[in-house]
Every structure is written in structure tokens, then in C-alpha cells.
């Protein structure tokens, strides 16, 4: 998370994280163009969601059924249409 949060030239994960975040942003923009992801979502949001699920799984903080529900919740949230205020 430290590598994704701030540019730290001494952290060997900074460049790989930047690359993944950039690729995720491109993926999200492409999905937005086809209407599969709501416009307010950013690639960094999806990146954070993915590493949250990875942390839960790696920390054995949730059973597989819970992880499946979290994944479904995240996926549904990104697909919901933005509402006009």
C-alpha cells in the first residue's frame, strides 16, 4: 500500500504498482465507454478494491463464502449507474 500511496523511489514496488494502477485505469475507461462500469469509478478505486480482497484472503480474515459475497458486492457497486443529484 505504501508503494501505491506515495511515490517512493526507494521502494521496489513503486513502479510495479504504478504500472498496475495505470493498466487498471485504462481497463476501467474502456469498460466505461461500453457502459459496463459507471462513470464515477476510477482505476485506483478498482485497484484498492482488488488489494482489499487480496488482503482479506491472505490474512485468512474471511472464509471463502464471505470472500465471494465481498467480490459480488464490489462488482455490483462498480456496475450500478450513477444517479443524478
Amino acid at each position: 500500500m505504501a508503494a501505491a500511496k506515495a511515490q517512493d523511489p526507494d521502494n521496489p514496488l513503486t513502479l510495479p504498482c504504478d504500472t498496475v494502477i495505470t493498466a487498471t485505469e485504462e481497463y476501467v475507461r474502456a469498460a466505461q465507454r461500453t457502459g459496463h462500469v459507471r462513470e464515477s469509478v476510477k482505476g485506483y478505486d478498482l485497484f484498492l478494491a482488488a488489494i482489499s480482497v487480496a488482503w482479506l484472503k491472505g490474512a485468512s480474515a474471511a472464509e471463502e463464502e464471505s470472500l465471494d459475497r465481498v467480490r459480488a458486492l464490489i462488482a455490483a457497486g462498480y456496475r450500478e449507474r450513477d444517479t443524478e443529484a
Side-chain angles (χ1 to χ4, degrees):
M1 278 309 301
K5 196 168 161 182
Q7 293 294 329
D8 180 1
D10 296 329
N11 188 330
L13 295 177
T14 296
L15 288 177
C17 280
D18 286 348
T19 301
V20 170
I21 292 167
T22 299
T24 305
E25 185 64 40
E26 292 170 5
Y27 170 82
V28 167
R29 280 196 303 259
Q32 287 168 332
R33 284 192 295 273
T34 61
H36 289 92
V37 172
R38 54 191 173 102
E39 290 299 316
S40 63
V41 174
K42 305 290 183 228
Y44 191 68
D45 302 338
L46 186 56
F47 173 79
L48 291 176
I51 61 174
S52 297
V53 171
W55 180 84
L56 286 168
K57 187 171 177 84
S60 299
E63 59 193 35
E64 197 60 38
E65 287 180 11
S66 291
L67 287 171
D68 289 342
R69 287 189 295 271
V70 169
R71 288 182 195 109
L73 179 65
I74 291 168
Y78 283 103
R79 292 184 185 122
E80 287 292 316
R81 296 282 184 225
D82 287 326
T83 57
E84 295 295 320

